[in-house]
């Protein structure tokens, strides 16, 4: 028996299900008897929650819907596997269950935390002479993984952001009085998503008037003054700002608001509110109409506007992971390697998972303009190919059709 | 000479430019020599700001882009024309300018405030024996105009809302722990837009768990308790709430927050914050993860996901306005009349503009469920045909292409 198991972990992307499909189809084509899905990732696996994917993806239409369905089809988790020495029984339980299912390859689609899971399991397998192969498939809208040129999921989020910001820019110019629109974009520590707002500008669009990334220290007073200068020359000012911008003392900008936003059940401070705080400061100072626009979770689930380049790469990364496992590799992650810029060409390449696990890749300083209010053309050229081409929703009764695991 | 002038007024919709195109093409086909556009509506006209549309729409491609461009191509204004007795000189100025341009028909695309403009100008024309005809073209995402079955602009906003909420519902189920998502939707006094969230539910989607319209008094404690009940049976709870919900004493829910959000330059309180306030209340009470999602201005400018039914009706309303004016009518507005539900068929029909001006149409009480937490199937059947069919963006370099007046 050659069985495969696959899981999805961490925050979803618009194309995380394309990677799942890449795993499923490639495994089947390469002779897997059964392809199981972990329901809610490794956490579900520990609880014995798996599905046989052939039972839930019953026809080609299901698979085409899967590519177009937002969120993680199998469900996800945020779970840090303990070290074997901390909980050896847990590892025994996991491997016993995998052996029971006659698993030969374990694929995990996730970000840097999930790659840590792959590393621990593959190390354990090596120590215990298990023959199960463990391969990671990268995924994150944040694009903050090391080694890989970019991450599946980033291109679609970037396309959504650029398209939406472009619409906001047109909308901002509708009246004959000044309007300041501040668009808050995801990215706690890395500014890749916020940088995508730069692509809105072009022949038919004025572009944004400022881009503020978390890689640079944020100065609120300077920001307000910058907007003031922009208002002298422009009727509409549109600013893209990362949710994660911090002032010199290390506090997030959204923490400066007088009211205390609640802390969530996990003790994480709710970050949303940066744009709102800044809009309030601008409104008070200049008496102009302001708008705070949070793109919120729409950035990661807007599967009605996906990048086909991104989708294809996500699918290929899933397929390459199966291939790597079937060829006997383990403890590796599939990376994307850009082999050419003109024309854009990108291949998959396995790399040791330890190079990616728990590491965050930020926007390099040389891709941020000296004044800290924009990004360079190099950064725009880097993102540009990743948002290209489209994949249409399957429209049913006026809405994009999805597929779900539980009916 | 048979010249026509057209203006756009009030907040934009995704299809307001389709109405503009309907006016332009129909006027040209019916023999207009020149079709002028008011830049920023009647306010721009008063300042002598007009463009000859033939000079800015130079080819068929321009016109196809116009249909797909968000915001108001000509620019808009929020301006209440004074009565002739308050400022007779203003009327003389306007009519002198229209006569100079040899205008025979004046078309104005807007909401109930804009219909007031049409009423005043046509009344004045009648009194002063001017032969200029004044016709209104309805437009608003809010769907709050009287007489007309629905308004051009509503269907596309409803489609965007239903599609987005559907994505949010999938996203909310991604983890194995409880999440409450509160989606704040436009509509200060009328709940039509919020009601559109009901269309998300169907074969492939659980639908929203609650819909709260401004037509009903809102009880915050009851709301929090309702969410608590929902959390017992559902891992993910998704609620659609109008930005305009008010408690029994008449205050908006967002005014209950301890911090004071700023008042804008026009003295309007900033309403955004209802979802955030409610999410905070829920998080404090139940310790669950909550998300406040404001659809903000994306609801009115998301031209990348338009309803083709809406677009066609918007175009037809523009064309019908020209026809009515050329046939000698004045002081009228084009309404949409649903002549059949199965199959859906809708025609245009002129009506006296006084029946629409300054009147707000709310969701009828019988279309809201008794418990005030949802809408009836009649309301869903009413909206359903309005979100049907699609019009693809013209994708250039990975983004929807637009057209703008000023290069």
């Amino acid at each position: 028996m050659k069985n495969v198991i696959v899981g999805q972990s961490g925050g979803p992307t618009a194309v995380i299900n394309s990677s799942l499909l890449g795993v499923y189809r490639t495994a089947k084509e390469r002779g897997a008897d059964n392809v199981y899905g972990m329901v809610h990732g490794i956490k579900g696996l520990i609880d014995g929650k798996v599905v046989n994917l052939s039972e839930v993806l019953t026809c080609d239409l299901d698979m085409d819907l899967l590519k177009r369905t937002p969120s993680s089809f199998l469900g996800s988790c945020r779970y840090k596997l303990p070290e074997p020495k901390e909980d050896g029984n847990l590892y025994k339980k996991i491997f016993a269950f995998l052996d029971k299912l006659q698993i030969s390859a374990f694929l995990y689609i996730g970000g840097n935390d999930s790659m840590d899971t792959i590393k621990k399991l593959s190390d354990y397998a090596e120590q215990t002479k298990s023959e199960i192969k463990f391969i990671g498939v990268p995924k994150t809208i944040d694009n903050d993984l090391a080694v890989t040129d970019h991450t599946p999921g980033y291109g679609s989020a970037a396309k959504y952001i650029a398209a939406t910001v472009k619409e906001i820019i047109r909308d901002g110019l509708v009246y004959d009085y000044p309007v300041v629109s501040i668009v808050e974009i995801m990215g706690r520590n890395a500014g890749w998503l916020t940088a995508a707002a730069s692509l809105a500008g072009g022949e038919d669009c004025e572009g944004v008037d400022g881009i503020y990334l978390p890689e640079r220290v944020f100065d609120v007073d300077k920001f307000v003054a910058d907007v003031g200068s922009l208002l002298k020359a422009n009727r509409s000012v549109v600013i893209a700002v990362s949710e994660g911008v911090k002032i010199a003392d290390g506090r997030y900008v959204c923490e400066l608001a007088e009211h205390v936003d609640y802390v969530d059940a996990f003790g994480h401070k709710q970050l949303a509110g940066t744009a709102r705080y800044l809009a309030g400061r601008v409104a008070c100072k200049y008496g102009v109409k302001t708008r705070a626009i949070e793109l919120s979770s729409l950035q990661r689930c807007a599967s009605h506007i996906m990048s086909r380049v991104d989708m294809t790469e996500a699918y290929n990364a899933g397929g390459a992971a199966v291939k790597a496992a079937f060829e006997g590799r383990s403890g590796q992650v599939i990376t994307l390697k850009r082999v050419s810029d003109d024309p854009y060409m990108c291949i998959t390449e396995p790399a040791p998972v330890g190079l990616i696990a728990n590491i965050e890749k930020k926007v390099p300083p040389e891709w941020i303009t000296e004044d800290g209010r924009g990004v360079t053309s190099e950064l725009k050229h880097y993102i540009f190919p990743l948002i290209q081409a489209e994949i249409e929703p399957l429209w049913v009764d006026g809405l994009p059709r999805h597929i779900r695991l539980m009916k």
Side-chain angles (χ1 to χ4, degrees), chain A residues 77-134:
Chain A
C77 67
R78 290 196 184 281
Y79 178 76
K80 189 111 181 169
L81 203 60
E83 295 286 347
K85 63 183 176 199
E86 290 165 1
D87 190 351
N89 284 334
L90 182 64
Y91 283 78
K92 281 181 194 151
K93 185 180 175 187
I94 291 171
F95 277 79
F97 188 54
L98 295 177
D99 286 338
K100 189 182 143 203
L101 293 175
Q102 298 184 277
I103 298 298
S104 61
F106 178 114
L107 296 315
Y108 211 43
I109 310 166
N112 38 23
D113 287 343
S114 313
M115 295 310 128
D116 176 75
T117 300
I118 284 291
K119 173 133 185 59
K120 284 172 177 157
L121 291 173
S122 62
D123 286 352
Y124 184 86
E126 204 181 320
Q127 285 153 25
T128 58
K129 308 269 186 282
S130 162
E131 288 190 356
I132 304 173
K133 307 303 177 193
F134 295 85

Side-chain angles (χ1 to χ4, degrees), chain A residues 210-247:
Chain A
I211 297 178
Y212 294 83
L213 309 188
E215 281 82 357
R216 286 288 190 96
V217 171
F218 191 87
D219 182 328
V220 175
D221 290 330
K222 196 170 171 310
F223 171 84
V224 173
D226 287 347
V227 172
S229 304
L230 286 165
L231 278 169
K232 285 180 190 151
N234 304 279
R235 190 170 79 244
S236 167
V237 173
V238 179
I239 306 280
V241 62
S242 164
E243 62 173 357
V245 287
K246 287 178 187 166
I247 60 171

Side-chain angles (χ1 to χ4, degrees), chain A residues 171-397:
Chain A
D171 191 80
L173 283 157
V174 70
Y175 295 119
D176 55 352
Y177 51 76
V179 179
V180 176
S181 306
I182 301 177
V183 187
E184 180 172 327
I185 298 173
M186 278 186 175
R188 204 171 272 237
N189 300 309
W192 297 106
L193 286 171
T194 307
S198 65
L199 296 181
E203 282 177 4
D204 62 337
C205 180
E206 294 77 1
V208 290
D209 303 292
I211 297 178
Y212 294 83
L213 309 188
E215 281 82 357
R216 286 288 190 96
V217 171
F218 191 87
D219 182 328
V220 175
D221 290 330
K222 196 170 171 310
F223 171 84
V224 173
D226 287 347
V227 172
S229 304
L230 286 165
L231 278 169
K232 285 180 190 151
N234 304 279
R235 190 170 79 244
S236 167
V237 173
V238 179
I239 306 280
V241 62
S242 164
E243 62 173 357
V245 287
K246 287 178 187 166
I247 60 171
D249 68 9
R251 279 181 298 164
Y252 289 110
V253 167
C254 57
E255 293 181 85
L256 305 178
E258 279 165 41
H259 63 287
V260 178
D261 259 24
Y262 56 94
V263 174
D264 76 14
F266 303 86
H268 292 131
K269 279 179 189 150
Q270 291 290 312
L271 273 191
T274 302
R276 174 171 291 258
Y277 173 75
L278 294 174
R281 288 288 302 267
V282 167
C284 291
K285 174 90 176 182
Y286 304 113
V288 293
K289 182 159 178 63
T290 61
R291 298 191 293 190
I293 301 171
E294 297 172 7
L295 297 190
S296 66
S297 56
L298 309 182
Q299 290 156 93
R300 71 180 193 193
C301 68
S303 62
H304 71 272
I305 177 168
M306 281 163 50
S307 153
R308 184 177 275 270
V309 165
D310 186 30
M311 199 216 73
T312 304
E313 290 178 348
Y315 183 97
N316 289 347
V322 171
K323 180 167 179 280
F326 281 14
E327 287 174 358
R329 294 172 186 264
S330 189
Q332 302 210 318
V333 55
I334 304 303
T335 65
L336 297 173
K337 186 175 174 182
R338 192 184 297 224
V339 290
S340 165
D341 252 321
D342 186 15
Y344 171 76
M345 284 190 285
C346 189
I347 59 170
T348 58
E349 199 167 68
V353 75
L355 298 178
I356 283 191
N358 306 314
I359 296 166
E360 262 183 342
K361 183 176 73 181
K362 299 189 177 184
V363 175
E366 64 271 22
W367 281 1
I368 304 172
T369 57
E370 216 163 306
D371 62 12
R373 289 186 278 161
V375 300
T376 66
S377 58
E378 286 81 5
L379 181 42
K380 285 198 249 181
H381 289 147
Y382 163 82
I383 307 173
F384 181 80
L386 313 183
I387 69 160
Q388 297 307 306
E390 290 73 41
I391 174 166
E392 264 292 274
L394 293 179
W395 296 98
V396 175
D397 285 347

